[in-house]
mmCIF file of all heavy atoms in Angstrom:
data_model
loop_
_atom_site.group_PDB
_atom_site.id
_atom_site.type_symbol
_atom_site.label_atom_id
_atom_site.label_comp_id
_atom_site.label_asym_id
_atom_site.label_seq_id
_atom_site.Cartn_x
_atom_site.Cartn_y
_atom_site.Cartn_z
ATOM 1 N N SER A 411 37.686 -31.300 -54.200
ATOM 2 C CA SER A 411 39.112 -31.052 -54.019
ATOM 3 C C SER A 411 39.789 -31.156 -55.378
ATOM 4 O O SER A 411 39.185 -31.591 -56.363
ATOM 5 C CB SER A 411 39.714 -32.073 -53.059
ATOM 6 O OG SER A 411 39.652 -33.377 -53.620
ATOM 7 N N GLU A 412 41.056 -30.778 -55.427
ATOM 8 C CA GLU A 412 41.814 -30.903 -56.669
ATOM 9 C C GLU A 412 41.844 -32.357 -57.129
ATOM 10 O O GLU A 412 41.738 -32.660 -58.312
ATOM 11 C CB GLU A 412 43.242 -30.389 -56.450
ATOM 12 C CG GLU A 412 44.068 -30.266 -57.704
ATOM 13 C CD GLU A 412 43.723 -29.045 -58.543
ATOM 14 O OE1 GLU A 412 43.048 -28.126 -58.003
ATOM 15 O OE2 GLU A 412 44.115 -29.010 -59.719
ATOM 16 N N GLN A 413 41.976 -33.279 -56.158
ATOM 17 C CA GLN A 413 42.062 -34.698 -56.479
ATOM 18 C C GLN A 413 40.698 -35.325 -56.727
ATOM 19 O O GLN A 413 40.597 -36.332 -57.413
ATOM 20 C CB GLN A 413 42.755 -35.448 -55.331
ATOM 21 C CG GLN A 413 44.166 -34.966 -55.010
ATOM 22 C CD GLN A 413 44.181 -33.726 -54.118
ATOM 23 O OE1 GLN A 413 43.145 -33.232 -53.693
ATOM 24 N NE2 GLN A 413 45.378 -33.235 -53.832
ATOM 25 N N GLN A 414 39.647 -34.765 -56.137
ATOM 26 C CA GLN A 414 38.315 -35.354 -56.244
ATOM 27 C C GLN A 414 37.294 -34.256 -56.536
ATOM 28 O O GLN A 414 36.490 -33.892 -55.681
ATOM 29 C CB GLN A 414 37.957 -36.083 -54.937
ATOM 30 C CG GLN A 414 36.700 -36.929 -55.014
ATOM 31 C CD GLN A 414 36.800 -38.057 -56.001
ATOM 32 O OE1 GLN A 414 37.712 -38.876 -55.938
ATOM 33 N NE2 GLN A 414 35.867 -38.113 -56.944
ATOM 34 N N PRO A 415 37.312 -33.703 -57.755
ATOM 35 C CA PRO A 415 36.373 -32.615 -58.067
ATOM 36 C C PRO A 415 34.924 -33.073 -58.161
ATOM 37 O O PRO A 415 34.007 -32.294 -57.881
ATOM 38 C CB PRO A 415 36.889 -32.089 -59.410
ATOM 39 C CG PRO A 415 37.623 -33.249 -60.015
ATOM 40 C CD PRO A 415 38.238 -33.981 -58.860
ATOM 41 N N GLN A 416 34.699 -34.318 -58.549
ATOM 42 C CA GLN A 416 33.333 -34.820 -58.681
ATOM 43 C C GLN A 416 32.858 -35.437 -57.365
ATOM 44 O O GLN A 416 33.662 -35.949 -56.581
ATOM 45 C CB GLN A 416 33.250 -35.845 -59.804
ATOM 46 C CG GLN A 416 33.602 -35.257 -61.169
ATOM 47 C CD GLN A 416 32.742 -34.059 -61.530
ATOM 48 O OE1 GLN A 416 31.518 -34.097 -61.367
ATOM 49 N NE2 GLN A 416 33.367 -32.993 -62.012
ATOM 50 N N PRO A 417 31.558 -35.419 -57.096
ATOM 51 C CA PRO A 417 31.041 -35.895 -55.810
ATOM 52 C C PRO A 417 31.419 -37.333 -55.495
ATOM 53 O O PRO A 417 31.337 -38.219 -56.353
ATOM 54 C CB PRO A 417 29.521 -35.755 -55.981
ATOM 55 C CG PRO A 417 29.342 -34.710 -57.025
ATOM 56 C CD PRO A 417 30.496 -34.881 -57.966
ATOM 57 N N VAL A 418 31.835 -37.555 -54.270
ATOM 58 C CA VAL A 418 32.080 -38.903 -53.788
ATOM 59 C C VAL A 418 30.748 -39.509 -53.352
ATOM 60 O O VAL A 418 29.758 -38.803 -53.137
ATOM 61 C CB VAL A 418 33.076 -38.904 -52.606
ATOM 62 C CG1 VAL A 418 34.416 -38.353 -53.034
ATOM 63 C CG2 VAL A 418 32.504 -38.113 -51.421
ATOM 64 N N GLU A 419 30.726 -40.811 -53.205
ATOM 65 C CA GLU A 419 29.511 -41.487 -52.753
ATOM 66 C C GLU A 419 29.144 -41.025 -51.354
ATOM 67 O O GLU A 419 29.999 -40.900 -50.484
ATOM 68 C CB GLU A 419 29.715 -42.999 -52.759
ATOM 69 C CG GLU A 419 28.480 -43.789 -52.346
ATOM 70 C CD GLU A 419 28.710 -45.286 -52.379
ATOM 71 O OE1 GLU A 419 29.797 -45.701 -52.811
ATOM 72 O OE2 GLU A 419 27.794 -46.025 -51.964
ATOM 73 N N LEU A 420 27.873 -40.765 -51.146
ATOM 74 C CA LEU A 420 27.376 -40.294 -49.862
ATOM 75 C C LEU A 420 26.501 -41.366 -49.224
ATOM 76 O O LEU A 420 25.455 -41.738 -49.774
ATOM 77 C CB LEU A 420 26.564 -39.009 -50.037
ATOM 78 C CG LEU A 420 25.857 -38.458 -48.803
ATOM 79 C CD1 LEU A 420 26.857 -38.086 -47.715
ATOM 80 C CD2 LEU A 420 24.994 -37.253 -49.179
ATOM 81 N N THR A 421 26.934 -41.892 -48.075
ATOM 82 C CA THR A 421 26.121 -42.822 -47.288
ATOM 83 C C THR A 421 25.624 -42.079 -46.061
ATOM 84 O O THR A 421 26.426 -41.609 -45.247
ATOM 85 C CB THR A 421 26.938 -44.053 -46.863
ATOM 86 O OG1 THR A 421 27.430 -44.722 -48.030
ATOM 87 C CG2 THR A 421 26.070 -45.018 -46.065
ATOM 88 N N LEU A 422 24.333 -41.951 -45.938
ATOM 89 C CA LEU A 422 23.746 -41.136 -44.878
ATOM 90 C C LEU A 422 23.733 -41.876 -43.546
ATOM 91 O O LEU A 422 23.696 -43.114 -43.512
ATOM 92 C CB LEU A 422 22.325 -40.742 -45.264
ATOM 93 C CG LEU A 422 22.210 -39.912 -46.547
ATOM 94 C CD1 LEU A 422 20.754 -39.740 -46.928
ATOM 95 C CD2 LEU A 422 22.886 -38.564 -46.353
ATOM 96 N N PRO A 423 23.768 -41.146 -42.435
ATOM 97 C CA PRO A 423 23.674 -41.779 -41.116
ATOM 98 C C PRO A 423 22.396 -42.600 -40.981
ATOM 99 O O PRO A 423 21.301 -42.125 -41.312
ATOM 100 C CB PRO A 423 23.665 -40.578 -40.154
ATOM 101 C CG PRO A 423 24.354 -39.489 -40.917
ATOM 102 C CD PRO A 423 23.946 -39.681 -42.345
ATOM 103 N N GLU A 424 22.526 -43.816 -40.488
ATOM 104 C CA GLU A 424 21.366 -44.702 -40.371
ATOM 105 C C GLU A 424 20.224 -44.099 -39.549
ATOM 106 O O GLU A 424 19.048 -44.239 -39.920
ATOM 107 C CB GLU A 424 21.777 -46.050 -39.765
ATOM 108 C CG GLU A 424 22.745 -46.852 -40.617
ATOM 109 C CD GLU A 424 24.205 -46.544 -40.298
ATOM 110 O OE1 GLU A 424 24.481 -45.459 -39.733
ATOM 111 O OE2 GLU A 424 25.059 -47.389 -40.608
ATOM 112 N N PRO A 425 20.512 -43.414 -38.439
ATOM 113 C CA PRO A 425 19.398 -42.852 -37.667
ATOM 114 C C PRO A 425 18.582 -41.804 -38.420
ATOM 115 O O PRO A 425 17.452 -41.508 -38.018
ATOM 116 C CB PRO A 425 20.110 -42.219 -36.459
ATOM 117 C CG PRO A 425 21.379 -42.979 -36.327
ATOM 118 C CD PRO A 425 21.797 -43.259 -37.736
ATOM 119 N N LEU A 426 19.130 -41.263 -39.516
ATOM 120 C CA LEU A 426 18.392 -40.269 -40.282
ATOM 121 C C LEU A 426 17.606 -40.874 -41.427
ATOM 122 O O LEU A 426 16.840 -40.176 -42.096
ATOM 123 C CB LEU A 426 19.359 -39.206 -40.830
ATOM 124 C CG LEU A 426 20.218 -38.479 -39.797
ATOM 125 C CD1 LEU A 426 21.007 -37.362 -40.460
ATOM 126 C CD2 LEU A 426 19.378 -37.945 -38.649
ATOM 127 N N THR A 427 17.790 -42.176 -41.667
ATOM 128 C CA THR A 427 17.073 -42.836 -42.760
ATOM 129 C C THR A 427 16.175 -43.962 -42.282
ATOM 130 O O THR A 427 15.337 -44.448 -43.044
ATOM 131 C CB THR A 427 18.075 -43.397 -43.787
ATOM 132 O OG1 THR A 427 18.947 -44.341 -43.146
ATOM 133 C CG2 THR A 427 18.917 -42.282 -44.385
ATOM 134 N N ASP A 428 16.325 -44.412 -41.051
ATOM 135 C CA ASP A 428 15.522 -45.502 -40.493
ATOM 136 C C ASP A 428 14.113 -44.995 -40.191
ATOM 137 O O ASP A 428 13.939 -44.071 -39.388
ATOM 138 C CB ASP A 428 16.184 -46.017 -39.203
ATOM 139 C CG ASP A 428 15.502 -47.258 -38.647
ATOM 140 O OD1 ASP A 428 14.306 -47.485 -38.955
ATOM 141 O OD2 ASP A 428 16.154 -47.993 -37.880
ATOM 142 N N PRO A 429 13.072 -45.554 -40.819
ATOM 143 C CA PRO A 429 11.701 -45.070 -40.584
ATOM 144 C C PRO A 429 11.215 -45.287 -39.156
ATOM 145 O O PRO A 429 10.233 -44.662 -38.735
ATOM 146 C CB PRO A 429 10.875 -45.879 -41.594
ATOM 147 C CG PRO A 429 11.683 -47.102 -41.861
ATOM 148 C CD PRO A 429 13.105 -46.667 -41.789
ATOM 149 N N ASP A 430 11.871 -46.176 -38.409
ATOM 150 C CA ASP A 430 11.462 -46.421 -37.033
ATOM 151 C C ASP A 430 12.103 -45.451 -36.042
ATOM 152 O O ASP A 430 11.855 -45.524 -34.835
ATOM 153 C CB ASP A 430 11.816 -47.855 -36.613
ATOM 154 C CG ASP A 430 10.970 -48.884 -37.341
ATOM 155 O OD1 ASP A 430 9.829 -48.545 -37.726
ATOM 156 O OD2 ASP A 430 11.441 -50.014 -37.536
ATOM 157 N N ILE A 431 12.946 -44.556 -36.549
ATOM 158 C CA ILE A 431 13.619 -43.586 -35.685
ATOM 159 C C ILE A 431 13.077 -42.191 -35.964
ATOM 160 O O ILE A 431 12.904 -41.793 -37.117
ATOM 161 C CB ILE A 431 15.138 -43.631 -35.903
ATOM 162 C CG1 ILE A 431 15.693 -44.950 -35.363
ATOM 163 C CG2 ILE A 431 15.833 -42.455 -35.226
ATOM 164 C CD1 ILE A 431 17.185 -45.121 -35.565
ATOM 165 N N ASP A 432 12.785 -41.471 -34.900
ATOM 166 C CA ASP A 432 12.271 -40.111 -35.004
ATOM 167 C C ASP A 432 13.356 -39.148 -34.527
ATOM 168 O O ASP A 432 13.978 -39.375 -33.486
ATOM 169 C CB ASP A 432 11.014 -39.952 -34.150
ATOM 170 C CG ASP A 432 10.227 -38.728 -34.536
ATOM 171 O OD1 ASP A 432 10.106 -38.442 -35.732
ATOM 172 O OD2 ASP A 432 9.735 -38.028 -33.624
ATOM 173 N N ALA A 433 13.587 -38.072 -35.289
ATOM 174 C CA ALA A 433 14.687 -37.165 -34.970
ATOM 175 C C ALA A 433 14.258 -35.709 -35.065
ATOM 176 O O ALA A 433 13.390 -35.342 -35.868
ATOM 177 C CB ALA A 433 15.866 -37.414 -35.906
ATOM 178 N N PHE A 434 14.866 -34.884 -34.224
ATOM 179 C CA PHE A 434 14.690 -33.437 -34.254
ATOM 180 C C PHE A 434 16.045 -32.808 -34.581
ATOM 181 O O PHE A 434 17.050 -33.148 -33.960
ATOM 182 C CB PHE A 434 14.212 -32.911 -32.904
ATOM 183 C CG PHE A 434 12.817 -33.297 -32.538
ATOM 184 C CD1 PHE A 434 12.572 -34.444 -31.787
ATOM 185 C CD2 PHE A 434 11.740 -32.520 -32.922
ATOM 186 C CE1 PHE A 434 11.290 -34.806 -31.422
ATOM 187 C CE2 PHE A 434 10.444 -32.876 -32.566
ATOM 188 C CZ PHE A 434 10.207 -34.017 -31.823
#
Side-chain angles (χ1 to χ4, degrees):
S411 65
E412 189 77 16
Q413 301 82 2
Q414 190 63 55
Q416 298 304 314
V418 298
E419 182 179 355
L420 174 62
T421 301
L422 299 172
E424 296 90 339
L426 304 186
T427 59
D428 187 337
D430 291 332
I431 291 178
D432 197 40
F434 291 92

